[in-house]
Amino acid sequence: MREACPVAHDGAGTWTLFRHADVVAAAHDPATFSSQVSHHLTLPNGLDGAEHATYRAIVERYMTPQRVEALAPACHAIAAEVIASTPRHETFRAVALGTRYAVRAQSAWLGWPPQLEDTLIQWMADNHAATRSGDHELTAQVAERFDTIIRALLSHARHTPGPGVTTELLAERLAGRPLHEEEIVSILRNWTAGDLGSIAVSFGVVVHFLASHPTVQGDLRAAARAGDRGAIATAVEEMLRIDDPFVANRRVITRDVEVRGRTIPASDRVVLNWTAANRDPRAFSDPEAFRPQVNAAHNLVFGTGPHACPGRALSLMELAVITIELLIATTRIDHAPGHSPVRETPPVGGWSFVPVLLS
Ligand code: HEM
């Protein structure tokens, strides 16, 4: 599509941009490509302009480099524990390991109880299934179930304030007033609902890449043993560029706009396809080549423009930490013989099944 039809129309009011330059231009023009795509309150994702900046500033306070660093030791402990309980010399599912790690790391950050782990894992599976089905009603029902879980946690945190971000959000103020419950629910939903899944799916991509590239794996194991988290994080971001599991985000057009000679009329929808843009040979001379340093400047895994992911540093820390723990706990990560990795069903990206052997 990127080569044959880079500005594609589905005939029903939705367009998709596939080329790197077009996706970047749209992401940097929120006045034309608005993020107000949903009737649901989605903070800060679904806002534009000054209103977006206000809520974005609140979200960013929880993802500063200091906060990310403070969480790193807990993530190392969780990753080491999850990996120690993973069998050696027999086939296991990398994505399942990533899921358990993502849930535990996020619960540590948010101050959520460990007993919630299985409920969250089940919810993630149901959410993926609903997304795959394309059934909006089912997706809405699953989202509602998540809101019920969050409301119960908020009520608990109100009565028994504990450490963690959830309790802090309850004390957060906006223009002199506390945040409304629906605002807190929306913020937490965006952090968890979309992003728990993306950490787990990203880990599947990383393990698949390591098993497929033994030389890179060896080099990164040496970096992991030397404690070079920066090198591992840069490498992880490049693996995610090559096989970007966070496929797309939507916009709605505020005025007629021309892209590559095609007029997209006001009110139509536009999908920014990060995955296709991240493999555009116009931006990356050899898109398949693993070149962390060279490609970093144009990497779109975490988006670009005013909505670029505020969770980037947090995500890369979490992913680098589990990758380090996996590499130092093993001498080899290989594809399991007799099994093939299985792709996720679009629109979910990445792999649903990455069978590997650890030695
Ligand atoms: C590998 C993991 C992740 C990937 C690949 C990812 C990717 C992205 C991308 C591409 C966007 C841009 C959306 C757009 O332009 O419409 C975005 C936005 C966002 N991400 Fe992430 N994300 C990840 C993890 C996280 C985590 C862990 C959090 C929070 C805990 C988070 C919170 C957000 C929020 C709040 C936004 C909306 C920002 C805004 O509208 O200003 N993300 N993410």
Side-chain angles (χ1 to χ4, degrees):
M1 290 301 286
R2 188 181 52 234
E3 299 311 313
C5 185
V7 182
H9 186 217
D10 70 350
T14 298
W15 300 72
T16 303
L17 305 182
F18 293 96
R19 288 203 182 159
H20 190 277
D22 299 341
V23 167
V24 170
H28 283 268
D29 181 6
T32 309
F33 295 83
S34 162
S35 287
Q36 296 189 29
V37 288
S38 167
H39 298 302
H40 297 286
L41 182 69
T42 51
L43 301 175
N45 317 38
L47 304 174
D48 294 319
E51 208 185 2
H52 168 255
T54 305
Y55 284 96
R56 167 109 189 177
I58 293 177
V59 166
E60 282 178 350
R61 283 206 272 282
Y62 295 91
M63 300 177 191
T64 58
Q66 293 82 343
R67 287 208 180 234
V68 170
E69 275 318 302
L71 189 64
C75 289
H76 271 288
I78 295 165
E81 189 180 81
V82 171
I83 287 163
S85 65
T86 304
R88 299 295 186 269
H89 309 293
E90 54 182 91
T91 305
F92 85 97
R93 289 170 169 257
V95 183
L97 192 156
T99 303
R100 200 151 285 279
Y101 169 71
V103 169
R104 286 193 194 167
Q106 193 161 72
S107 295
W109 181 52
L110 294 172
W112 288 5
Q115 306 85 284
L116 207 60
E117 191 175 318
D118 289 334
T119 308
L120 289 174
I121 288 175
Q122 184 57 49
W123 183 86
M124 279 165 72
D126 295 348
N127 189 40
H128 263 160
T131 310
R132 270 188 229 109
S133 74
D135 178 341
H136 294 300
E137 183 124 334
L138 183 63
T139 308
Q141 277 172 19
V142 175
E144 213 145 286
R145 240 175 65 210
F146 196 75
D147 285 8
T148 309
I149 300 174
I150 297 182
R151 281 180 208 283
L153 284 163
L154 286 178
S155 156
H156 179 78
R158 260 195 196 100
H159 294 109
T160 6
V165 166
T166 307
T167 299
E168 288 181 60
L169 269 177
L170 286 169
E172 188 64 64
R173 299 191 81 75
L174 176 68
R177 63 154 174 92
L179 291 179
H180 301 309
E181 175 152 310
E182 62 172 324
E183 291 171 326
I184 301 180
V185 170
S186 175
I187 289 173
L188 285 172
R189 189 195 311 117
N190 279 336
W191 287 353
T192 49
D195 302 309
L196 266 182
S198 52
I199 295 282
V201 163
S202 296
F203 184 64
V205 169
V206 169
V207 173
H208 183 270
F209 187 94
L210 291 172
S212 309
H213 298 82
T215 310
V216 176
Q217 186 191 133
D219 293 346
L220 292 180
R221 187 169 282 107
R225 290 198 173 125
D228 191 349
R229 199 173 85 209
I232 304 290
T234 312
V236 164
E237 200 169 6
E238 172 70 344
M239 292 174 204
L240 298 178
R241 178 195 67 74
I242 294 171
D243 186 2
D244 187 349
F246 197 95
V247 181
N249 282 108
R250 292 179 302 156
R251 299 291 189 265
V252 60
I253 300 300
T254 58
R255 61 173 177 91
D256 291 4
V257 63
E258 199 177 297
V259 184
R260 275 182 210 287
R262 300 197 76 179
T263 302
I264 307 181
S267 302
D268 271 14
R269 309 256 155 176
V270 169
V271 174
L272 310 184
N273 192 312
W274 308 115
T275 304
N278 259 329
R279 297 178 59 87
D280 188 340
R282 295 159 194 82
F284 308 99
S285 58
D286 178 1
E288 199 66 46
F290 176 75
R291 293 179 184 153
Q293 305 298 341
V294 177
N295 292 333
H298 301 294
N299 191 323
L300 295 178
V301 168
F302 292 98
T304 183
H307 292 275
C309 184
R312 175 173 173 268
L314 179 67
S315 307
L316 286 176
M317 179 278 284
E318 288 187 14
L319 288 167
V321 161
I322 188 171
T323 305
I324 289 172
E325 294 293 342
L326 180 65
L327 287 167
I328 59 179
T330 55
T331 51
R332 288 176 63 140
I333 303 162
D334 293 301
H335 287 296
H339 297 271
S340 300
V342 180
R343 278 277 173 204
E344 261 295 359
T345 310
V348 182
W351 303 90
S352 62
F353 183 45
V354 181
V356 286
L357 282 182
L358 303 184
S359 319

